Amino acid sequence: MQKPIKNLVLNHTAFLTKLLRAKGSCPYRKAESPSGEAVRKLNNESFQSEDPLNEEFETVAILNSISGNIHYVSCGMLDGAALPVRRGGFVCSGEESNNGFLDEVMKKYGRGVPLCEKDVMGRLKEVFNEDFSHRKPFITREIMKYREKHPKTSTCNFRVFYNKHMLDMDDLATLEGQNWLNDQIINMYGELIMDAVPEKVHFFNSFFHRQLVTKGYNGVKRWTKKVDLFKKTLLLIPIHLEVHWSLITVNIPNRIISFYDSQGIHFKFCVENIRKYLLTEAKEKNRPEFLQGWQTAVTKCIPQQKNDSDCGVFVLQYCKCLALDQPFQFSQEDMPRVRKRIYKELCERQLID
């Protein structure tokens, strides 16, 4: 019998051996990845290990197998079954990393930023029809190791395209931690919202108000060349004043201009700029019914930020809820989760409920 190589931990391989036997693998040959059905047949024996180290090894193996990416080679032998080598917390075939699901996430999102334990456990449950909540510490550790192994520089060419928008990793990185969101994130996400309900909503580019202030109506006149604002129900206008994001909305049927701010600030001049713009637009588009009756309002009792970095995230969440007629059921504590969700939505180019 061939002796196991040095870094093969035989005490942790019983689970993998059973999986390989279930698939009828042969020594000295690459075997197929075990199917979910094969794993489920071994539920009682394999998923209820009393050895924490064995549980960890099994969890790593399962994580790698859920995308069918794990390979088994004759680098070690146990009762005639080919076994993988465990190296640095991962299961590898030779020098190749086979972190199936995590590799899939990296390819789709550029980085592991939007990945959370819930996603991994959901995927495991979907494939194996098994509850892995008791493995959460191991899953968390594997995700952390994977992120450390795949730094930002390894995905520097990652791009997301949508209509005329393009996001690179520097743009997406503004959704990490407590970074400030930039115009590119705000504008692409706003367009996703608008395209989700195109008959109802029009989203103005974040540069609109800046251009209106510096060049007046003529500077933005062509921005609505292909759209009749007065046929919409809701206008969303993000306002960026140096280091802070706010939101102005316009309820066209009720002629109400509202101001939303996650720090309770009210920039009256911004609201007045939009009111004057609407009057001029109504005149230019020959819509006399919209030349009067406009009201302004400051929206109070809305979710507020408790730091100096999440104003942009709050603005996007306000926009999404208003456009989709959803209640404001979020708070500062939800911002890490909301940032991850926005990251996913941008990469997938569609809103997630």
Side-chain angles (χ1 to χ4, degrees), residues 36 50-51 108 123 134 204 262 316:
E50 295 179 358
D51 179 2
K108 189 173 185 178
R123 180 66 174 270
H134 64 292
F204 280 90
S262 57
L316 293 183

Side-chain angles (χ1 to χ4, degrees), residues 55-182:
E55 272 199 0
E56 179 179 4
F57 192 57
E58 291 168 9
T59 300
V60 176
I62 296 167
L63 261 176
N64 283 303
S65 71
I66 57 179
S67 288
N69 256 356
I70 192 169
H71 300 290
Y72 299 87
V73 295
S74 58
C75 56
M77 301 295 299
L78 180 64
D79 295 335
L83 296 170
V85 177
R86 181 171 185 248
R87 184 177 295 127
F90 297 102
V91 178
C92 300
S93 170
E95 294 302 317
E96 177 185 1
S97 172
N98 295 289
N99 301 278
F101 180 52
L102 302 183
D103 283 344
E104 187 179 302
V105 169
M106 180 67 72
K107 182 178 180 180
K108 189 173 185 178
Y109 301 117
R111 297 189 68 184
V113 173
L115 184 67
C116 61
E117 293 82 359
K118 182 179 178 181
D119 297 324
V120 178
M121 289 190 287
R123 180 66 174 270
L124 290 169
K125 186 178 178 71
E126 176 186 335
V127 174
F128 295 108
N129 192 29
E130 192 74 22
D131 181 10
F132 285 83
S133 57
H134 64 292
R135 304 287 181 92
K136 187 173 180 179
F138 299 140
I139 291 173
T140 301
R141 188 153 60 250
E142 286 306 310
I143 292 173
M144 290 176 64
K145 289 178 181 177
Y146 189 84
R147 285 173 175 162
E148 292 171 0
K149 189 175 181 181
H150 294 78
K152 180 179 178 180
T153 53
S154 67
T155 55
C156 59
N157 294 322
F158 185 83
R159 301 285 188 276
V160 178
F161 296 92
Y162 183 73
N163 295 341
K164 296 180 179 180
H165 301 279
M166 188 278 286
L167 301 178
D168 59 23
M169 288 309 305
D170 288 337
D171 299 317
L172 291 167
T174 66
L175 284 162
E176 293 186 52
Q178 294 190 2
N179 292 331
W180 295 356
L181 302 196
N182 64 11

